[in-house]
Amino acid sequence: MSKKVQYELEYPVRCSPSILYEFLSTPAGLQEWFADKVDFRDSVFSFSWNGSVEEAEVLEQEEDEFIRLHWKHAPKEEFFEFRIQISEVTNETILIVRDFAEKKEIADQSQLWDYQVKDLFHRIGN
């Protein structure tokens, strides 16, 4: 198995950082767009999709700025992260998704994120 590499996707979003952060960092927010069911306990999110459950530990977070999570089944150095930035040029809110995938799978994984983020934007009225 080849080593996974980090990749980054950027999505401009018309919404305040605080509203966006709620959708990225709370069980209720994540359940709106990311998974069928989301629970949170002791710094661990449990995500359910069609009866299958995956757990991700919160590694680090800063309100209205970012949340970094680690899938419990993944190697220690891998994570996925939602980061919120404000463009200095346009003053637009930008959602940055950082994740890991094998090089040949980055395009497919990016499409999956595109689909998920499109659902997120629909939920926040973007």
Side-chain angles (χ1 to χ4, degrees), residues 9-13 15-25 62-68 81-87 91-98 120-121 124:
L9 304 167
E10 291 189 12
Y11 303 94
V13 55
C15 134
S16 75
S18 58
I19 290 172
L20 181 57
Y21 187 77
E22 286 294 309
F23 278 90
L24 305 174
S25 64
E62 192 164 322
E63 191 171 343
D64 297 347
E65 290 193 23
F66 77 96
I67 183 165
R68 179 178 291 178
E81 177 180 277
F82 301 122
R83 185 169 289 273
I84 301 166
Q85 289 186 341
I86 304 297
S87 167
N91 205 32
E92 191 172 42
T93 303
I94 299 168
L95 169 62
I96 298 169
V97 176
R98 289 191 178 121
L120 165 64
F121 286 1
I124 59 178

Short mmCIF file of all heavy atoms in Angstrom, two decimals, residues 9-13 15-25 62-68 81-87 91-98 120-121 124:
data_model
loop_
_atom_site.label_atom_id
_atom_site.label_comp_id
_atom_site.label_asym_id
_atom_site.label_seq_id
_atom_site.Cartn_x
_atom_site.Cartn_y
_atom_site.Cartn_z
N LEU A 9 -8.46 21.42 -0.45
CA LEU A 9 -9.51 21.93 -1.32
C LEU A 9 -10.03 23.23 -0.74
O LEU A 9 -10.16 23.35 0.48
CB LEU A 9 -10.66 20.91 -1.42
CG LEU A 9 -10.26 19.51 -1.88
CD1 LEU A 9 -11.41 18.54 -1.63
CD2 LEU A 9 -9.88 19.52 -3.34
N GLU A 10 -10.35 24.19 -1.60
CA GLU A 10 -10.87 25.48 -1.14
C GLU A 10 -12.25 25.74 -1.74
O GLU A 10 -12.46 25.51 -2.92
CB GLU A 10 -9.93 26.62 -1.54
CG GLU A 10 -8.62 26.61 -0.81
CD GLU A 10 -7.80 27.86 -1.06
OE1 GLU A 10 -8.32 28.85 -1.63
OE2 GLU A 10 -6.62 27.85 -0.67
N TYR A 11 -13.15 26.23 -0.89
CA TYR A 11 -14.51 26.54 -1.32
C TYR A 11 -14.91 27.92 -0.80
O TYR A 11 -15.00 28.10 0.42
CB TYR A 11 -15.49 25.50 -0.76
CG TYR A 11 -15.17 24.07 -1.13
CD1 TYR A 11 -14.42 23.27 -0.27
CD2 TYR A 11 -15.64 23.54 -2.32
CE1 TYR A 11 -14.13 21.96 -0.60
CE2 TYR A 11 -15.36 22.21 -2.65
CZ TYR A 11 -14.60 21.43 -1.79
OH TYR A 11 -14.32 20.13 -2.12
N PRO A 12 -15.16 28.88 -1.68
CA PRO A 12 -15.69 30.16 -1.21
C PRO A 12 -17.13 29.95 -0.74
O PRO A 12 -17.88 29.20 -1.35
CB PRO A 12 -15.65 31.06 -2.45
CG PRO A 12 -15.32 30.19 -3.60
CD PRO A 12 -14.94 28.85 -3.10
N VAL A 13 -17.49 30.58 0.36
CA VAL A 13 -18.83 30.39 0.93
C VAL A 13 -19.39 31.72 1.40
O VAL A 13 -18.67 32.52 1.99
CB VAL A 13 -18.78 29.33 2.07
CG1 VAL A 13 -17.77 29.70 3.11
CG2 VAL A 13 -20.12 29.11 2.70
N CYS A 15 -21.23 33.10 3.95
CA CYS A 15 -21.77 32.90 5.29
C CYS A 15 -20.71 33.36 6.28
O CYS A 15 -19.54 33.38 5.97
CB CYS A 15 -22.17 31.44 5.41
SG CYS A 15 -21.74 30.52 6.81
N SER A 16 -21.14 33.73 7.47
CA SER A 16 -20.18 34.19 8.47
C SER A 16 -19.37 33.01 9.00
O SER A 16 -19.85 31.88 9.05
CB SER A 16 -20.91 34.88 9.63
OG SER A 16 -21.52 33.91 10.44
N PRO A 17 -18.12 33.27 9.40
CA PRO A 17 -17.30 32.21 9.97
C PRO A 17 -17.95 31.51 11.16
O PRO A 17 -17.85 30.29 11.30
CB PRO A 17 -16.02 32.93 10.40
CG PRO A 17 -15.92 34.09 9.45
CD PRO A 17 -17.35 34.50 9.23
N SER A 18 -18.66 32.25 12.01
CA SER A 18 -19.27 31.63 13.19
C SER A 18 -20.38 30.66 12.82
O SER A 18 -20.50 29.58 13.42
CB SER A 18 -19.76 32.67 14.18
OG SER A 18 -20.69 33.52 13.58
N ILE A 19 -21.20 30.99 11.82
CA ILE A 19 -22.26 30.07 11.39
C ILE A 19 -21.63 28.84 10.74
O ILE A 19 -22.00 27.71 11.03
CB ILE A 19 -23.24 30.77 10.43
CG1 ILE A 19 -24.06 31.80 11.19
CG2 ILE A 19 -24.15 29.75 9.73
CD1 ILE A 19 -24.93 32.69 10.32
N LEU A 20 -20.65 29.07 9.87
CA LEU A 20 -19.98 27.95 9.20
C LEU A 20 -19.33 27.03 10.23
O LEU A 20 -19.44 25.80 10.13
CB LEU A 20 -18.93 28.50 8.22
CG LEU A 20 -18.14 27.47 7.42
CD1 LEU A 20 -19.06 26.54 6.62
CD2 LEU A 20 -17.15 28.18 6.49
N TYR A 21 -18.68 27.61 11.22
CA TYR A 21 -18.00 26.81 12.25
C TYR A 21 -18.98 25.88 12.98
O TYR A 21 -18.63 24.74 13.30
CB TYR A 21 -17.28 27.73 13.24
CG TYR A 21 -16.42 26.96 14.21
CD1 TYR A 21 -15.18 26.45 13.82
CD2 TYR A 21 -16.84 26.75 15.52
CE1 TYR A 21 -14.39 25.73 14.71
CE2 TYR A 21 -16.05 26.04 16.42
CZ TYR A 21 -14.83 25.54 16.00
OH TYR A 21 -14.05 24.82 16.88
N GLU A 22 -20.19 26.36 13.22
CA GLU A 22 -21.21 25.51 13.87
C GLU A 22 -21.49 24.26 13.05
O GLU A 22 -21.67 23.17 13.60
CB GLU A 22 -22.51 26.29 14.08
CG GLU A 22 -22.46 27.30 15.18
CD GLU A 22 -22.29 26.67 16.56
OE1 GLU A 22 -23.06 25.75 16.89
OE2 GLU A 22 -21.38 27.10 17.28
N PHE A 23 -21.51 24.40 11.73
CA PHE A 23 -21.78 23.26 10.84
C PHE A 23 -20.59 22.32 10.74
O PHE A 23 -20.73 21.17 10.32
CB PHE A 23 -22.15 23.75 9.43
CG PHE A 23 -23.59 24.14 9.30
CD1 PHE A 23 -23.99 25.45 9.54
CD2 PHE A 23 -24.55 23.21 8.92
CE1 PHE A 23 -25.33 25.82 9.41
CE2 PHE A 23 -25.89 23.57 8.80
CZ PHE A 23 -26.28 24.88 9.04
N LEU A 24 -19.41 22.78 11.13
CA LEU A 24 -18.19 21.99 11.02
C LEU A 24 -17.75 21.35 12.33
O LEU A 24 -16.91 20.45 12.33
CB LEU A 24 -17.04 22.87 10.52
CG LEU A 24 -17.26 23.63 9.21
CD1 LEU A 24 -16.08 24.55 8.94
CD2 LEU A 24 -17.47 22.65 8.06
N SER A 25 -18.31 21.81 13.45
CA SER A 25 -17.74 21.41 14.73
C SER A 25 -18.74 20.89 15.76
O SER A 25 -18.33 20.52 16.87
CB SER A 25 -16.98 22.60 15.33
OG SER A 25 -17.89 23.64 15.62
N GLU A 62 -10.02 25.67 17.12
CA GLU A 62 -10.09 27.05 17.57
C GLU A 62 -11.38 27.63 17.01
O GLU A 62 -11.61 27.60 15.81
CB GLU A 62 -8.88 27.84 17.08
CG GLU A 62 -8.78 29.17 17.78
CD GLU A 62 -7.41 29.81 17.62
OE1 GLU A 62 -6.41 29.09 17.64
OE2 GLU A 62 -7.39 31.05 17.48
N GLU A 63 -12.21 28.13 17.91
CA GLU A 63 -13.54 28.59 17.52
C GLU A 63 -13.50 29.57 16.36
O GLU A 63 -12.69 30.49 16.34
CB GLU A 63 -14.23 29.24 18.73
CG GLU A 63 -15.70 29.50 18.47
CD GLU A 63 -16.44 29.92 19.73
OE1 GLU A 63 -15.93 29.73 20.84
OE2 GLU A 63 -17.55 30.43 19.57
N ASP A 64 -14.38 29.33 15.40
CA ASP A 64 -14.55 30.14 14.19
C ASP A 64 -13.33 30.12 13.26
O ASP A 64 -13.28 30.88 12.30
CB ASP A 64 -14.90 31.60 14.52
CG ASP A 64 -16.24 31.72 15.25
OD1 ASP A 64 -17.01 30.73 15.27
OD2 ASP A 64 -16.52 32.79 15.80
N GLU A 65 -12.36 29.23 13.54
CA GLU A 65 -11.16 29.18 12.69
C GLU A 65 -10.90 27.80 12.09
O GLU A 65 -10.73 27.68 10.89
CB GLU A 65 -9.94 29.66 13.45
CG GLU A 65 -10.01 31.15 13.70
CD GLU A 65 -8.69 31.73 14.16
OE1 GLU A 65 -7.63 31.13 13.91
OE2 GLU A 65 -8.74 32.80 14.80
N PHE A 66 -10.84 26.75 12.94
CA PHE A 66 -10.59 25.42 12.39
C PHE A 66 -10.92 24.33 13.40
O PHE A 66 -11.01 24.57 14.61
CB PHE A 66 -9.13 25.27 11.93
CG PHE A 66 -8.15 25.08 13.06
CD1 PHE A 66 -7.75 23.80 13.42
CD2 PHE A 66 -7.63 26.15 13.74
CE1 PHE A 66 -6.85 23.61 14.47
CE2 PHE A 66 -6.73 25.98 14.78
CZ PHE A 66 -6.34 24.70 15.14
N ILE A 67 -11.09 23.12 12.85
CA ILE A 67 -11.18 21.91 13.67
C ILE A 67 -10.43 20.82 12.92
O ILE A 67 -10.59 20.65 11.71
CB ILE A 67 -12.64 21.51 13.99
CG1 ILE A 67 -12.67 20.29 14.91
CG2 ILE A 67 -13.45 21.29 12.72
CD1 ILE A 67 -14.01 20.02 15.57
N ARG A 68 -9.55 20.12 13.63
CA ARG A 68 -8.75 19.04 13.05
C ARG A 68 -9.13 17.74 13.75
O ARG A 68 -9.14 17.67 14.98
CB ARG A 68 -7.27 19.32 13.24
CG ARG A 68 -6.38 18.23 12.67
CD ARG A 68 -4.92 18.55 12.84
NE ARG A 68 -4.58 19.68 11.97
CZ ARG A 68 -3.37 20.22 11.92
NH1 ARG A 68 -2.41 19.79 12.71
NH2 ARG A 68 -3.14 21.24 11.11
N GLU A 81 -9.20 18.14 8.24
CA GLU A 81 -9.35 19.43 8.89
C GLU A 81 -10.28 20.32 8.08
O GLU A 81 -10.25 20.32 6.86
CB GLU A 81 -7.96 20.08 8.97
CG GLU A 81 -7.95 21.46 9.57
CD GLU A 81 -6.54 22.03 9.60
OE1 GLU A 81 -5.80 21.72 10.55
OE2 GLU A 81 -6.19 22.79 8.67
N PHE A 82 -11.10 21.07 8.81
CA PHE A 82 -11.92 22.12 8.23
C PHE A 82 -11.36 23.43 8.76
O PHE A 82 -11.31 23.64 9.97
CB PHE A 82 -13.38 21.99 8.65
CG PHE A 82 -14.02 20.68 8.28
CD1 PHE A 82 -14.57 19.87 9.26
CD2 PHE A 82 -14.08 20.26 6.95
CE1 PHE A 82 -15.18 18.66 8.92
CE2 PHE A 82 -14.68 19.06 6.60
CZ PHE A 82 -15.23 18.26 7.59
N ARG A 83 -10.92 24.30 7.86
CA ARG A 83 -10.33 25.58 8.25
C ARG A 83 -11.12 26.69 7.58
O ARG A 83 -11.50 26.59 6.43
CB ARG A 83 -8.86 25.63 7.84
CG ARG A 83 -8.13 26.86 8.33
CD ARG A 83 -6.64 26.74 8.14
NE ARG A 83 -6.03 25.79 9.06
CZ ARG A 83 -5.61 26.07 10.30
NH1 ARG A 83 -5.74 27.30 10.77
NH2 ARG A 83 -5.07 25.14 11.05
N ILE A 84 -11.35 27.76 8.33
CA ILE A 84 -12.10 28.91 7.82
C ILE A 84 -11.13 30.09 7.71
O ILE A 84 -10.46 30.44 8.69
CB ILE A 84 -13.26 29.28 8.77
CG1 ILE A 84 -14.20 28.08 8.92
CG2 ILE A 84 -14.00 30.50 8.26
CD1 ILE A 84 -15.19 28.22 10.07
N GLN A 85 -11.05 30.67 6.51
CA GLN A 85 -10.21 31.85 6.31
C GLN A 85 -11.04 32.95 5.67
O GLN A 85 -12.03 32.68 5.01
CB GLN A 85 -9.02 31.52 5.41
CG GLN A 85 -7.99 30.64 6.08
CD GLN A 85 -6.74 30.45 5.23
OE1 GLN A 85 -6.75 30.67 4.03
NE2 GLN A 85 -5.67 30.03 5.87
N ILE A 86 -10.59 34.16 5.86
CA ILE A 86 -11.20 35.32 5.20
C ILE A 86 -10.20 35.83 4.18
O ILE A 86 -9.05 36.11 4.52
CB ILE A 86 -11.53 36.45 6.22
CG1 ILE A 86 -12.43 35.94 7.34
CG2 ILE A 86 -12.17 37.63 5.50
CD1 ILE A 86 -13.80 35.46 6.92
N SER A 87 -10.64 35.92 2.93
CA SER A 87 -9.78 36.42 1.87
C SER A 87 -9.47 37.89 2.13
O SER A 87 -10.38 38.69 2.33
CB SER A 87 -10.45 36.27 0.51
OG SER A 87 -9.76 37.02 -0.46
N ASN A 91 -12.55 39.75 0.98
CA ASN A 91 -13.23 39.69 2.27
C ASN A 91 -14.25 38.55 2.32
O ASN A 91 -15.18 38.56 3.11
CB ASN A 91 -13.90 41.03 2.61
CG ASN A 91 -14.05 41.20 4.11
OD1 ASN A 91 -13.22 40.70 4.89
ND2 ASN A 91 -15.10 41.86 4.54
N GLU A 92 -14.08 37.56 1.46
CA GLU A 92 -14.98 36.42 1.35
C GLU A 92 -14.53 35.32 2.33
O GLU A 92 -13.34 35.14 2.58
CB GLU A 92 -14.89 35.90 -0.08
CG GLU A 92 -15.92 34.90 -0.48
CD GLU A 92 -15.84 34.63 -1.99
OE1 GLU A 92 -14.73 34.51 -2.54
OE2 GLU A 92 -16.90 34.55 -2.60
N THR A 93 -15.51 34.61 2.88
CA THR A 93 -15.21 33.47 3.74
C THR A 93 -14.83 32.29 2.85
O THR A 93 -15.49 32.01 1.85
CB THR A 93 -16.43 33.10 4.60
OG1 THR A 93 -16.82 34.25 5.36
CG2 THR A 93 -16.12 31.96 5.54
N ILE A 94 -13.76 31.60 3.22
CA ILE A 94 -13.30 30.45 2.44
C ILE A 94 -13.20 29.23 3.37
O ILE A 94 -12.59 29.32 4.45
CB ILE A 94 -11.93 30.73 1.79
CG1 ILE A 94 -12.05 31.91 0.84
CG2 ILE A 94 -11.41 29.49 1.06
CD1 ILE A 94 -10.74 32.47 0.36
N LEU A 95 -13.82 28.14 2.96
CA LEU A 95 -13.69 26.87 3.67
C LEU A 95 -12.56 26.09 3.03
O LEU A 95 -12.56 25.88 1.81
CB LEU A 95 -15.00 26.07 3.58
CG LEU A 95 -14.91 24.61 4.05
CD1 LEU A 95 -14.54 24.52 5.53
CD2 LEU A 95 -16.22 23.88 3.78
N ILE A 96 -11.59 25.68 3.83
CA ILE A 96 -10.48 24.87 3.35
C ILE A 96 -10.61 23.50 3.99
O ILE A 96 -10.72 23.38 5.22
CB ILE A 96 -9.12 25.51 3.71
CG1 ILE A 96 -9.00 26.87 3.04
CG2 ILE A 96 -7.97 24.58 3.31
CD1 ILE A 96 -7.84 27.69 3.52
N VAL A 97 -10.63 22.47 3.15
CA VAL A 97 -10.68 21.09 3.61
C VAL A 97 -9.32 20.48 3.36
O VAL A 97 -8.82 20.50 2.23
CB VAL A 97 -11.77 20.28 2.87
CG1 VAL A 97 -11.74 18.82 3.32
CG2 VAL A 97 -13.15 20.88 3.10
N ARG A 98 -8.70 19.94 4.40
CA ARG A 98 -7.43 19.22 4.26
C ARG A 98 -7.69 17.77 4.63
O ARG A 98 -8.33 17.48 5.63
CB ARG A 98 -6.37 19.79 5.20
CG ARG A 98 -5.90 21.15 4.78
CD ARG A 98 -4.67 21.57 5.58
NE ARG A 98 -4.23 22.86 5.11
CZ ARG A 98 -4.13 23.95 5.87
NH1 ARG A 98 -4.40 23.87 7.14
NH2 ARG A 98 -3.74 25.09 5.36
N LEU A 120 -23.53 20.82 2.25
CA LEU A 120 -23.34 21.81 3.32
C LEU A 120 -23.83 23.18 2.87
O LEU A 120 -24.59 23.84 3.59
CB LEU A 120 -21.86 21.87 3.72
CG LEU A 120 -21.43 23.08 4.56
CD1 LEU A 120 -22.12 23.08 5.92
CD2 LEU A 120 -19.92 23.10 4.72
N PHE A 121 -23.41 23.61 1.70
CA PHE A 121 -23.79 24.92 1.19
C PHE A 121 -25.30 25.02 1.00
O PHE A 121 -25.90 26.06 1.26
CB PHE A 121 -23.10 25.21 -0.13
CG PHE A 121 -21.63 25.54 0.03
CD1 PHE A 121 -21.01 25.54 1.26
CD2 PHE A 121 -20.86 25.85 -1.08
CE1 PHE A 121 -19.66 25.85 1.41
CE2 PHE A 121 -19.51 26.16 -0.95
CZ PHE A 121 -18.92 26.16 0.28
N ILE A 124 -26.84 25.68 4.42
CA ILE A 124 -26.65 27.03 4.98
C ILE A 124 -27.20 28.11 4.04
O ILE A 124 -27.02 29.29 4.30
CB ILE A 124 -25.17 27.33 5.34
CG1 ILE A 124 -24.25 27.20 4.12
CG2 ILE A 124 -24.69 26.46 6.46
CD1 ILE A 124 -22.80 27.53 4.42
#
